[in-house]
């Protein structure tokens, strides 16, 4: 498990952008370099009309091979409209 | 919160997955190990029917061995899920379950929550449903919350026991 997975935040981000038509992607590597623990925020119009479960399923299916190789995968998924609200809220709190 | 968690935990240690026969699964390359056999599928069918609320996790509710599993247990405690209606399965005790549940749910990570045999999601989804209020709605509809009065009574009596237990290790 501690071996290097060969997966990086950059490769994940590229895959997410191209396959999910994501308008915003943030992938954070929390593994300290071994490529095992990633946390992502994904905004895509493909999420429109989907439940949280359906959105995550779409991401998980798209990244099936990558996720199988890493230890921990966490993702937050938003439609562009939901993402605007999140940003507004954050701006309000800041 | 810890009090709720505690009463949630106590009941959750009761079942084990199922008596496992030695299998060759763990010796196979990971791609083959992800194939879900009929017997594993049947065992998981049984597991998710054990209680209205079933969590597949790493470690036990008392000693979660992963932050995501710990967070999920805490959310179930905060929500006031009735311990009598909850069962946790430790996937670290059973490699067949650990791999099988991912395939069964088409979900790549653990923990995984089932309510009335339906897959709800993993930790991220629980967290977002917890903050949006969807989770309490779901639990209420499913009728899995501890009755208010009893929950309070059990927390006050478990307080002293909790202090004694705090140094216990497995």
């Amino acid at each position: 498990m501690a071996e290097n997975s060969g997966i990086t935040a950059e490769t994940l981000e590229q895959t997410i952008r191209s396959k999910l038509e994501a308008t915003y992607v943030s992938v954070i590597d929390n593994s300290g370099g071994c490529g095992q623990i990633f946390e992502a925020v994904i905004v895509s119009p493909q999420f429109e009309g989907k439940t949280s479960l359906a959105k995550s399923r779409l991401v998980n299916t798209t990244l099936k091979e990558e996720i199988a190789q890493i230890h921990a995968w966490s993702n937050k998924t938003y439609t562009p409209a939901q993402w605007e609200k999140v940003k507004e809220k954050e701006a309000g709190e800041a | 919160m810890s009090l709720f968690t505690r009463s949630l935990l106590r009941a959750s240690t009761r079942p084990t997955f199922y008596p496992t026969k030695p299998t060759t699964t763990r010796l196979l390359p990971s791609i083959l190990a992800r194939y879900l056999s009929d017997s594993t599928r049947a065992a998981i069918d049984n597991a998710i029917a054990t209680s209205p609320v079933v969590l597949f996790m790493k470690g036990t509710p008392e000693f979660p061995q992963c932050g995501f599993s710990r967070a999920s247990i805490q959310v179930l405690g905060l929500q006031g899920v009735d311990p009598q209606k909850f069962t946790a399965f430790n996937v670290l005790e059973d490699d067949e379950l650990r791999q099988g549940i991912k395939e069964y749910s088409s979900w790549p990570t653990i923990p995984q929550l089932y309510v009335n045999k339906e897959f709800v999601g993993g930790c991220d989804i629980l967290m977002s449903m917890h903050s949006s209020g969807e989770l309490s709605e779901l639990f209420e509809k499913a009728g899995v919350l501890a009755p208010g009065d009893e929950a309070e009574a059990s927390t006050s009596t478990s307080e002293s026991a909790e202090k004694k237990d705090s140094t216990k290790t497995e």
Side-chain angles (χ1 to χ4, degrees):
Chain A
M1 270 308 193
E3 280 168 32
N4 197 308
S5 69
I7 289 171
T8 65
E10 287 74 30
T11 58
L12 283 172
E13 193 176 319
Q14 275 169 13
T15 311
I16 293 166
R17 273 195 198 282
S18 64
K19 291 193 183 165
L20 291 172
E21 300 171 324
T23 53
Y24 174 84
V25 185
S26 146
V27 180
I28 298 166
D29 182 348
N30 285 329
S31 70
C34 70
Q36 294 282 358
I37 303 169
F38 294 95
E39 203 182 308
V41 175
I42 305 166
V43 180
S44 163
Q46 288 187 12
F47 295 151
E48 215 70 63
K50 288 190 165 66
T51 63
S52 304
L53 180 58
K55 289 189 287 186
S56 288
R57 279 213 190 280
L58 178 61
V59 175
N60 292 341
T61 310
T62 307
L63 298 174
K64 192 170 182 184
E65 281 166 26
E66 288 86 348
I67 293 172
Q69 292 175 56
I70 61 185
H71 174 65
W73 169 250
S74 167
N75 67 88
K76 291 195 172 73
T77 48
Y78 304 101
T79 62
Q82 287 169 335
W83 181 237
E84 285 307 313
K85 281 193 190 146
V86 170
K87 280 195 294 187
E88 271 171 37
K89 201 176 161 211
E90 279 175 3
E93 280 167 5
Chain B
M1 176 215 64
S2 62
L3 301 177
F4 277 105
T5 312
R6 169 139 295 261
S7 51
L8 177 70
L9 309 188
R10 230 184 285 132
S12 59
T13 43
R14 65 194 139 101
T16 51
F17 181 44
Y18 53 95
T20 45
K21 290 179 221 130
T23 64
T24 53
T25 312
R26 70 203 65 181
L27 303 173
L28 296 172
S30 64
I31 197 122
L32 292 178
R34 285 165 63 211
Y35 166 75
L36 187 57
S37 71
D38 285 349
S39 65
T40 305
R41 180 173 288 280
I44 296 174
D45 281 339
N46 285 336
I48 65 167
T50 318
S51 295
V53 182
V54 174
L55 185 73
F56 296 93
M57 64 181 291
K58 290 183 180 170
T60 63
E62 291 90 344
F63 299 100
Q65 295 193 32
C66 165
F68 298 104
S69 290
R70 181 190 302 276
S72 302
I73 283 289
Q74 282 172 345
V75 162
L76 297 183
L78 284 170
Q79 289 281 341
V81 169
D82 187 345
Q84 303 299 323
K85 294 180 177 168
F86 172 72
T87 303
F89 289 96
N90 181 2
V91 303
L92 298 180
E93 281 177 0
D94 192 313
D95 203 46
E96 201 176 330
L97 173 62
R98 183 177 180 170
Q99 297 310 322
I101 192 65
K102 295 178 186 175
E103 198 74 4
Y104 184 95
S105 314
S106 310
W107 193 259
T109 51
I110 288 155
Q112 298 186 7
L113 182 75
Y114 276 83
V115 175
N116 290 335
K117 300 190 212 171
E118 250 181 69
F119 181 63
V120 177
C123 185
D124 292 326
I125 286 181
L126 288 197
M127 293 303 144
S128 87
M129 289 178 76
H130 176 61
S131 35
S132 72
E134 285 168 87
L135 196 59
S136 64
E137 206 174 296
L138 174 85
F139 285 150
E140 211 165 296
K141 270 193 198 150
V144 297
L145 297 175
D149 291 347
E150 284 176 35
E152 251 174 337
S154 76
T155 55
S156 58
T157 52
S158 66
E159 201 159 8
S160 56
E162 181 174 14
K163 279 174 191 151
K164 274 185 220 157
D165 276 354
S166 61
T167 52
K168 191 180 79 178
T169 51
E170 257 187 344

